[in-house]
Amino acid sequence: GAVVSQHPSRVICKSGTSVKIECRSLDFQATTMFWYRQFPKQSLMLMATSNEGSKATYEQGVEKDKFLINHASLTLSTLTVTSAHPEDSSFYICSARGRDGDTQYFGPGTRLTVL
Amino acid sequence: AQSVTQLGSHVSVSEGALVLLRCNYSSSVPPYLFWYVQYPNQGLQLLLKYTTGATLVKGINGFEAEFKKSETSFHLTKPSAHMSDAAEYFCAVSEGGGNKLTFGTGTQLKVEL
């Protein structure tokens, strides 16, 4: 149980385009999902907390208009990187809060490369 | 505010040797503590967690960690390293259940023959 998937696993796009990443909890409902960004050989940095049916809460320094988050259902949250630029290239990982309310279960990550 | 310090960005052990990965935290409230493992180009997998109760917690793959409040530590150990344990390990803290996680900078574990 507590499986989280992400799609796509890898995406390459041109500068200026928008990219949508999906995060799904496969075998449980997640009222709260989290989006992280990880640079090479670094730790995870929380970008935003996504709550089903309400606006996401963004961490300081994260542009909410650039990183659009939609948590439309109890099993799906999406992150859209709008007008992507090379500096947005990174590994994006989502997590979902499990049934116990304490533990976050992580997706496999999405490698975004912006040319 | 909460924070996590992982001493040693790289740890190398011989196969069969003891694994000890260090984690110290700071938290203004009783912490919830987690260890996650990350293999290359993959997400994070939960190894173990401490919320309340018994301070020695056992996780998957033979790992365990002990919460020591007086030392503000949550070190991860495994009696005998296996080649498959080579990965990046992250310690994380949250202030109570369900709240956001703050991660340490990670420790890369290398296991040598």
Side-chain angles (χ1 to χ4, degrees), chain A residues 1-92:
Chain A
V3 179
V4 177
S5 70
Q6 275 184 249
H7 178 80
S9 58
R10 185 180 297 267
V11 58
I12 301 173
C13 68
K14 293 182 179 180
S15 185
T17 61
S18 294
V19 175
K20 180 184 284 190
I21 302 170
E22 292 185 349
C23 177
R24 294 182 184 272
S25 56
L26 297 184
D27 54 358
F28 66 102
Q29 294 182 331
T31 56
T32 303
M33 292 184 173
F34 302 85
W35 287 95
Y36 295 83
R37 184 172 181 178
Q38 185 180 32
F39 289 102
K41 300 189 184 303
Q42 294 188 29
S43 189
L44 282 74
M45 299 298 295
L46 179 65
M47 298 175 66
T49 302
S50 168
N51 293 298
E52 188 266 338
S54 63
K55 291 183 178 180
T57 303
Y58 290 82
E59 294 300 300
Q60 191 173 6
V62 177
E63 299 176 61
K64 62 180 181 179
D65 294 330
K66 181 167 187 61
F67 298 99
L68 300 179
I69 291 172
N70 187 332
H71 195 154
S73 77
L74 288 171
T75 58
L76 173 64
S77 176
T78 60
L79 168 68
T80 301
V81 183
T82 61
S83 187
H85 291 283
E87 57 266 29
D88 298 324
S89 298
S90 191
F91 195 51
Y92 292 89

Side-chain angles (χ1 to χ4, degrees), chain B:
Chain B
Q2 56 197 28
S3 67
V4 176
T5 301
Q6 289 184 243
L7 289 177
S9 59
H10 292 81
V11 171
S12 183
V13 300
S14 299
E15 189 174 35
L18 172 71
V19 175
L20 171 60
L21 304 182
R22 298 179 186 276
C23 173
N24 289 88
Y25 69 91
S26 68
S27 176
S28 57
V29 300
Y32 283 33
L33 295 158
F34 305 81
W35 275 100
Y36 286 89
V37 60
Q38 184 180 34
Y39 296 97
N41 296 310
Q42 295 185 29
L44 277 66
Q45 181 182 8
L46 179 68
L47 277 177
L48 49 78
K49 65 178 181 181
Y50 167 80
T51 55
T52 58
T55 56
L56 180 64
V57 292
K58 296 184 184 297
I60 61 171
N61 302 337
F63 285 95
E64 62 182 37
E66 186 171 12
F67 168 61
K68 292 187 177 181
K69 183 178 179 180
S70 61
E71 298 178 7
T72 61
S73 68
F74 191 58
H75 301 329
L76 181 70
T77 61
K78 181 174 180 177
S80 177
H82 191 271
M83 295 297 289
S84 60
D85 294 327
E88 184 90 21
Y89 291 80
F90 291 97
C91 181
V93 63
S94 71
E95 292 185 336
N99 294 316
K100 64 181 183 181
L101 288 172
T102 298
F103 284 87
T105 51
T107 298
Q108 183 71 47
L109 175 65
K110 182 178 180 181
V111 182
E112 300 174 317
L113 287 172

